[in-house]
Structures are given as C-alpha cells and as structure tokens.
Amino acid sequence: MSRPNPTYTLEEIQKEPDRDFPRFVRDDATRLGEITVGIIHEWGVNLCVDVHIGDELAYRAQLGTTGQFNADIIRRKILTVDKFGHSSLLARLKRDADPGFGSELPEEYVIAGGSIPIFVDGVMTAKISASGEEDALDHEVIAEALDRFAAERN
C-alpha cells in the first residue's frame, strides 16, 4: 500500500456532512464509481467499490487483489449503515468509545469503516462502499469520491 492509513476521531466523523443530493440515479452511481476507481488508481490502493441504490447493486469494480470476499464484507458494512443511518466508520468509532454499542447486532453485521450513505432530499437512497484496505482508508477513498462527485454537480 502506498498511502498511509488515516486516523479519525469520533468528533471529526460526526462533523462530516451528510451526502445529500437533489437526485441520485443509476447514471450517477456509475459516475461516482468511475470517480472512485480513478482515486483508487491515483492513490495506489487495493479496493473493491460498490454503489447500491436501495438494495440493488448499481455499480461494482473489483480492483487489485479484491474479489468476492470484499463484496461480502461490503454487504455486511451496508447492513450497518442501514441499521444506524450513518457511515459505518461512525458506527465503528461509537463502538470504540462504548464497547456495548452494536453488541446486540448479529454476526452478519460488520462495524467497520468503508460504507457511506447517500441521501436524496434527506432520505437515505443509496450507499457507496469499499473494502480491501484498513477501514479508515476505505472510508477516506469513498469520502473523497463523494466530495469530487459533489464538486462536479455544482
């Protein structure tokens, strides 16, 4: 890996803005995925990236040595986002601060960074997720992709 793992505090992640757009359709999922693949190559990281709209896979790229194992981890991270309505990294940092947080969840859930919800007019509509590196780096890549996607739309 050629990029250092970022560190985040609970307070920093709580301050991250919701990714809220006036619309998010399949073409947007494809564009967001393309931006993410560009960052993966630019940063020299090893990631699988998925974009889901609702429960449906709208985009997937498995780069480097990633594969079905990473896709399965993403599915489990998405369950965490769906459960809590915020990024899976925020869930992980809450659990780090309070080991009882999420303890009632079945094993199927993964409380680890790398999945961020996408809202349309305040309603969670989609998720972008990554797996393959340390969870904070998974998060950093998709957060950067969302920032670049938002900048394109402005």
Side-chain angles (χ1 to χ4, degrees):
M1 180 185 72
S2 62
R3 188 160 183 97
N5 287 322
T7 56
Y8 293 100
T9 66
L10 178 60
E11 294 75 24
E12 288 171 329
I13 296 299
Q14 285 175 322
K15 290 178 184 175
E16 278 191 342
D18 283 340
R19 306 318 210 247
D20 203 319
F21 301 100
R23 72 177 180 95
F24 192 85
V25 297
R26 287 189 176 276
D27 287 347
D28 298 316
T30 299
R31 181 63 191 133
L32 178 57
E34 291 168 347
I35 291 167
T36 309
V37 168
I39 294 167
I40 291 167
H41 289 300
E42 178 185 325
W43 291 6
V45 293
N46 183 55
L47 289 176
C48 173
V49 60
D50 281 7
V51 181
H52 283 78
I53 298 176
D55 292 332
E56 293 185 19
L57 178 64
Y59 181 91
R60 173 174 288 160
Q62 295 173 319
L63 296 134
T65 62
T66 66
Q68 188 58 47
F69 171 79
N70 301 98
D72 292 341
I73 294 294
I74 284 173
R75 179 187 55 78
R76 297 170 66 201
K77 289 178 181 183
I78 288 171
L79 290 173
T80 300
V81 170
D82 287 340
K83 170 75 175 171
F84 296 111
H86 56 64
S87 77
S88 59
L89 182 59
L90 179 54
R92 200 261 290 159
L93 292 170
K94 285 181 177 181
R95 188 196 58 209
D96 289 352
D98 173 9
F101 178 83
S103 62
E104 78 287 354
L105 295 176
E107 190 175 299
E108 187 174 334
Y109 288 71
V110 168
I111 299 182
S115 188
I116 299 174
I118 299 167
F119 297 89
V120 173
D121 295 328
V123 176
M124 187 174 19
T125 302
K127 279 86 57 183
I128 181 170
S129 309
S131 172
E133 298 285 356
E134 294 294 324
D135 73 331
L137 185 52
D138 292 352
H139 178 90
E140 183 178 47
V141 168
I142 59 177
E144 175 68 17
L146 282 163
D147 290 345
R148 292 183 190 186
F149 177 78
E152 276 188 8
R153 294 188 77 172
N154 290 333

